[in-house]
């Protein structure tokens, strides 16, 4: 919601906390979804360094999705990567 409202700093904080939680509890599906959404937010914000970080997050989402069979996340990450390259 913070991303939709254009509150990018707030969204970045939420994504940081979500990624840390996903790592702690080994929630790979949610890690993939978080990386995908975070990468897309950074692409939209497009501040200094955002595109490189977005590319890394989207690649991470794609790798997790591919390894675990999350077809929808994989498809969405592939599409998002096309827009940042």
């Amino acid at each position: 919601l913070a991303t939709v409202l254009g509150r990018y700093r707030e969204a970045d904080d939420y994504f940081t906390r979500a990624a840390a939680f996903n790592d702690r509890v080994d929630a790979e599906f949610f890690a993939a979804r978080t990386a995908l959404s975070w990468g897309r937010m950074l692409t939209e914000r497009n501040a200094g360094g955002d595109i490189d970080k977005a590319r890394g997050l989207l690649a991470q989402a794609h790798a997790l999705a591919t390894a675990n069979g999350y077809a929808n996340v994989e498809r969405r990450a592939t599409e998002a990567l096309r827009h940042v390259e």
Side-chain angles (χ1 to χ4, degrees):
L1 179 59
T3 299
V4 172
L5 296 173
R7 297 178 182 167
Y8 298 121
R9 182 179 299 160
E10 187 177 340
D12 199 47
D13 290 340
Y14 287 134
F15 285 125
T16 299
R17 286 188 262 162
F21 178 80
N22 294 334
D23 288 344
R24 265 195 321 275
V25 299
D26 199 28
E28 290 190 337
F29 175 74
F30 293 106
R33 291 281 312 265
T34 297
L36 173 63
S37 296
W38 196 358
R40 291 170 72 183
M41 182 279 291
L42 291 170
T43 301
E44 184 178 316
R45 182 172 72 176
N46 196 19
D50 281 353
I51 297 303
D52 289 335
K53 185 173 181 179
R55 192 175 290 116
L57 287 164
L58 294 170
Q60 176 187 359
H62 187 270
L64 281 168
T66 300
N68 292 291
Y70 310 142
N72 191 41
V73 175
E74 181 180 356
R75 178 185 55 76
R76 291 170 63 199
T78 299
E79 183 65 25
L81 279 165
R82 285 189 190 123
H83 288 96
V84 295
E85 296 183 309

